[in-house]
Amino acid sequence: MLGTRRNKHSNLLLGFLFFLFCMVSVHAQEEQQPSIALVSYIKTLENRFNVKFSYINEDVEGLTISVPETLNTLDGILSYIENQFQIHYKKLNDRYYTLTKNSHVDLCGMVLDNFASNTIPGATVEILGTNRALITGDDGKFTIQDVPKEASIRIRYLGFLTQNMSVSEFLGLGECPKILMTPHMEQLNEVVVYQFLTTGIIKEKDASITLNTAEFGILPGQIEPDILQTVQALPGIKSIDETVSDINVRGGTNDQNLVLWNGIKMYQSGHFFGLISAFNPYLTDQVTIYKNGTPAAYGDGVSGVIQMETSNKITEQWKGGAGFNLISGDFYTEVPLSDKLGIQFAARRSATDFLNSPTYNQFFDRAFQDSEITDQNNNSVDDEIQRKEDFFFYDFSGKILYNINDDHQLRFSAIHIKNNLKYVENNITDMETNISLLKQDNLSVGGQLQSQWNSRFSSHLNIYYSRYNLDAQNVFGNQVQQLFQKNEVVENAVKLNTDYQLTDQFNWNNGYQYIETGITNATVLSEPNFDSEIKGVIRIHAPYTEFDYHSPENTFIAKVGSRFNFIQNLNTFSKLLIEPRVNLNIKLAHYLRAEVLGEFKSQTTNQVVDLEQNFLGIEKRRWILSNDSSLPVTKSKQGSVGLNYEKNHFYVGLEGFYKQVDGISTSTQGFQNQYQFSGEIGSYDVKGIEFLVNKKGENYSTWLSYAYNKNDYTFDSIVPQNFPNNLDIRHTVTFAGTYTYNNLKLSIGLNYRTGKPFTEPMDGDQGLDTDYTPSRINFKSPNSSRLPEYFRADASAIYSFRLSPRINANAGLSVLNLTNRKNTLNRYYRVNDDDEIETVDNVSLGITPNLSFRVNF
């Protein structure tokens, strides 16, 4: 039995080997069939199958074929010829056939890198001479039908060399071939820009920071690239009160920042009273931030510059997107109407007037309520108060792009921002109702002409009109007293900038700017009767010049220039201010560079800060003009020295700076003590150090930043003359990280800073002076006390996925203040109707979740 089984197994093995040998032999025969001319092979078929073929000689000439021997039927052979050469056959009867070469073919393929190891999704496949194009899928594959045989194909992808080939060349690669793309290589000088924190944030060679919103990754607490929230991730830029409308750059107030959108100065930047940026990030292409060493083309803003630009190119195909979160919904689109004309449009509207979400409730508590009120015995004030609000906001922006020709481009931009609030507060305890109405409106339009006159000379002309309105109405004590306030800013400007390349190393920049700003402030009070309207106009003529030099190996880069501001207030004064600027970047060693920056700057517009209690917890800021008496032109001087080291994705940056600002008023600094109405004129100076260390890997980034500021006021008529600035935050520390796993992005961060200064009343009975009506508070030395330390932890997650080959989507979740820590942002004091001192603490956002969903196509 054992021998029988062995024989059976041996026979099976021999049979299998014989079958395998036959298959290999057949395959070898197929491979070894010689190629013959297709014309000759057709004649062979005619004799072999006793048929006749009708065809055009040009369709088959020059083609060769090798038909596998396994094909032994006429239909099988003709189908093989059709697949190989796109030559269609048709049977007329049992003897006669026609052969016709198709004028159109169907193509398919797969795009890979030149090692054939990685597919390239999103590569563009174009049929030249037509408007047909598509992009490859996640697997790098594509299929395109009905392509003319005489056409050509272009395949391109960012970072790879473009491939062009005719359809006949493509067909010669075989059925659904693999197209290998070669990476685009350039010989570059040593890199002098630094990418840090997350993707899309770059420190440029002139020390500016650029944010590329299309490439932006993720930051703690953010699920959408809010522009004015993102800039606060940078060392030296923070918001002491957690808003985007009060950004403090190196100890300066928000009105000391120059905020530009497509070259237009913006006088309103936030929604929800500063908690949300008013600029759509999905239409914004690039944001540039300067803290020092500002180019001479920028004036009016003694602290920082935030410049936002929408895309300046006509997109090749229609694209857009839409999304929503628990506060608002938005959409944007870019449409090419032709090769020379395109449009961009974006709009957003809040859901706050019909959706009561947890996010909205936290924002409402932060924006509209004094969080904690205690009396002079530190007991909580528990008046029963009912609050009702009707609040909404919206913004829309658009741009028309027209290319006159290859050298001249015309652009028109417009943006409209709106906030609208009706707020009713019923005090059940005192049977009193207060009503507040507030409207903020910003409308700006502008045009730009970019011209390239020759290979060395170009110009940029920018003309704009901007109007900002704030209208407020307060009805106090059951309509016993009514207060109306209006603040209007109208600005017209013409700005011309020219660039002339003197040599390969020297560039000369010149320009002229004319800016006319008119501001109106009106106040009407019913009880007692008071009516005031103040108007002012300032005109600025500002020529400037600047030289830009870089050595052949970029070992030394310099930008030196000056701005000449001739300022005219039509009612009071005129003066000339010369503002030099310097920006140097020097290579010290491999991977180590130093930068030296300096600037003089000035501004003629400031914001007066109204008392919080005038608007039931909502702060109003009104723009005013310098008059050279009660409010002089504000001027600053700043110098800084920094070091930058980067190697193997490890970055270290260290910068020390000194800034002095003259011509400030207590009315523009937000004082809430004995000097809040005094209008004293003084200055402040800031000494500081900023440090950042960042380590990046293939799918992670982690960083630690630290900023030290010593920020002090000097007012000659105040005792003492020197005391801490309202924005004197000595120590600020951030530790954060991001991680990417496939399509999931995660981020978490910790923020710590020391408390801001405030002024307490004097102890005991000395704290209240009852000799006045109403009674007044006797304060201690200004800013002699400090709030508790601030700590906040934030986290966010974004998951990206595809809904279709053309539609991408992502869903996000963020949580602000994970620990729900109660951070006191501000503290001030007031006297109630019973002549008691009350303490009012403004408290930060509590734990605040938010969800978002977006689609892009």
Side-chain angles (χ1 to χ4, degrees), residues 193-198 200-212 216 227 230-237 250 286-293 295 298 305-308 583 595 597 644 651 655 690 692:
V193 299
Y194 307 98
Q195 301 185 41
F196 52 70
L197 304 190
T198 189
I201 301 182
I202 299 173
K203 183 171 184 178
E204 304 285 355
K205 60 185 179 182
D206 63 352
S208 65
I209 308 294
T210 60
L211 310 179
N212 189 323
F216 190 75
I227 294 167
T230 301
V231 301
Q232 297 179 45
L234 305 173
I237 304 179
R250 290 182 170 173
Q286 183 171 287
V287 183
T288 305
I289 301 102
Y290 293 94
K291 293 186 287 185
N292 190 14
Y298 298 99
V305 175
I306 301 174
Q307 176 182 251
M308 293 164 282
N583 192 315
E595 58 190 26
L597 310 173
N644 296 283
Y651 171 82
E655 187 171 5
E690 296 166 3
L692 173 66

Side-chain angles (χ1 to χ4, degrees), residues 191-249:
V191 176
V192 290
V193 299
Y194 307 98
Q195 301 185 41
F196 52 70
L197 304 190
T198 189
T199 55
I201 301 182
I202 299 173
K203 183 171 184 178
E204 304 285 355
K205 60 185 179 182
D206 63 352
S208 65
I209 308 294
T210 60
L211 310 179
N212 189 323
T213 56
E215 300 177 3
F216 190 75
I218 187 173
L219 287 173
Q222 294 189 40
I223 47 178
E224 296 180 305
D226 187 299
I227 294 167
L228 299 183
Q229 290 284 4
T230 301
V231 301
Q232 297 179 45
L234 305 173
I237 304 179
K238 293 294 177 185
S239 175
I240 305 304
D241 61 3
E242 294 186 333
T243 68
V244 298
S245 62
D246 191 14
I247 294 177
N248 314 119
V249 179

Side-chain angles (χ1 to χ4, degrees), residues 588-656:
L588 300 180
H590 287 303
Y591 316 111
L592 180 65
R593 303 187 71 94
E595 58 190 26
V596 179
L597 310 173
E599 63 182 24
F600 283 34
K601 296 174 73 176
S602 64
Q603 67 181 63
T604 57
T605 55
N606 293 272
Q607 280 184 315
V608 172
V609 182
D610 285 345
L611 293 177
E612 276 84 347
Q613 57 263 43
N614 278 355
F615 200 64
L616 304 176
I618 301 171
E619 178 184 286
K620 291 196 305 299
R621 298 170 178 262
R622 290 182 294 166
W623 290 98
I624 61 173
L625 286 172
S626 299
N627 54 26
D628 212 33
S629 55
S630 61
L631 185 62
V633 175
T634 306
K635 295 175 286 186
S636 72
K637 303 173 184 177
Q638 183 178 188
S640 63
V641 177
L643 295 173
N644 296 283
Y645 172 86
E646 184 181 42
K647 184 180 181 181
N648 298 329
H649 302 293
F650 178 73
Y651 171 82
V652 179
L654 177 65
E655 187 171 5

Side-chain angles (χ1 to χ4, degrees), residues 74 192 222 361 398 445 526 736:
L74 180 60
V192 290
Q222 294 189 40
N361 291 334
V445 294
S526 63

Side-chain angles (χ1 to χ4, degrees), residues 165-375:
M165 64 183 76
S166 65
V167 170
S168 59
E169 289 176 319
F170 187 93
L171 293 172
L173 299 176
E175 187 176 355
C176 285
K178 294 180 179 179
I179 310 299
L180 305 183
M181 303 288 284
T182 303
H184 179 62
M185 301 292 186
E186 288 186 3
Q187 183 67 36
L188 301 175
N189 292 325
E190 181 184 351
V191 176
V192 290
V193 299
Y194 307 98
Q195 301 185 41
F196 52 70
L197 304 190
T198 189
T199 55
I201 301 182
I202 299 173
K203 183 171 184 178
E204 304 285 355
K205 60 185 179 182
D206 63 352
S208 65
I209 308 294
T210 60
L211 310 179
N212 189 323
T213 56
E215 300 177 3
F216 190 75
I218 187 173
L219 287 173
Q222 294 189 40
I223 47 178
E224 296 180 305
D226 187 299
I227 294 167
L228 299 183
Q229 290 284 4
T230 301
V231 301
Q232 297 179 45
L234 305 173
I237 304 179
K238 293 294 177 185
S239 175
I240 305 304
D241 61 3
E242 294 186 333
T243 68
V244 298
S245 62
D246 191 14
I247 294 177
N248 314 119
V249 179
R250 290 182 170 173
T253 54
N254 183 76
D255 60 329
Q256 294 173 355
N257 298 323
L258 175 62
V259 180
L260 298 170
W261 181 84
N262 282 348
I264 305 171
K265 182 177 179 180
M266 305 303 298
Y267 286 90
Q268 181 182 350
S269 58
H271 286 312
F272 221 135
F273 300 93
L275 295 176
I276 302 170
S277 170
F279 306 102
N280 191 304
Y282 300 101
L283 202 58
T284 304
D285 181 54
Q286 183 171 287
V287 183
T288 305
I289 301 102
Y290 293 94
K291 293 186 287 185
N292 190 14
T294 311
Y298 298 99
D300 199 23
V302 297
S303 278
V305 175
I306 301 174
Q307 176 182 251
M308 293 164 282
E309 292 285 344
T310 58
S311 175
N312 211 34
K313 295 182 179 180
I314 299 174
T315 181
E316 295 183 354
Q317 57 185 356
W318 174 53
K319 65 179 182 179
F324 66 87
N325 55 43
L326 298 183
I327 293 293
S328 63
D330 75 279
F331 80 94
Y332 77 97
T333 185
E334 297 183 56
V335 183
L337 301 179
S338 70
D339 292 341
K340 292 188 174 184
L341 181 64
I343 60 172
Q344 303 171 357
F345 184 79
R348 171 172 48 178
R349 210 254 189 214
S350 68
T352 53
D353 48 345
F354 59 85
L355 178 62
N356 192 9
S357 68
T359 309
Y360 172 70
N361 291 334
Q362 288 291 343
F363 278 23
F364 171 78
D365 289 344
R366 168 66 187 86
F368 298 129
Q369 297 183 40
D370 292 325
S371 302
E372 292 185 352
I373 303 176
T374 56
D375 60 22

Side-chain angles (χ1 to χ4, degrees), residues 817-828:
N817 197 2
L818 280 167
T819 63
N820 201 27
R821 177 184 170 92
K822 187 180 292 185
N823 292 299
T824 302
L825 301 176
N826 189 34
R827 178 174 295 166
Y828 66 95

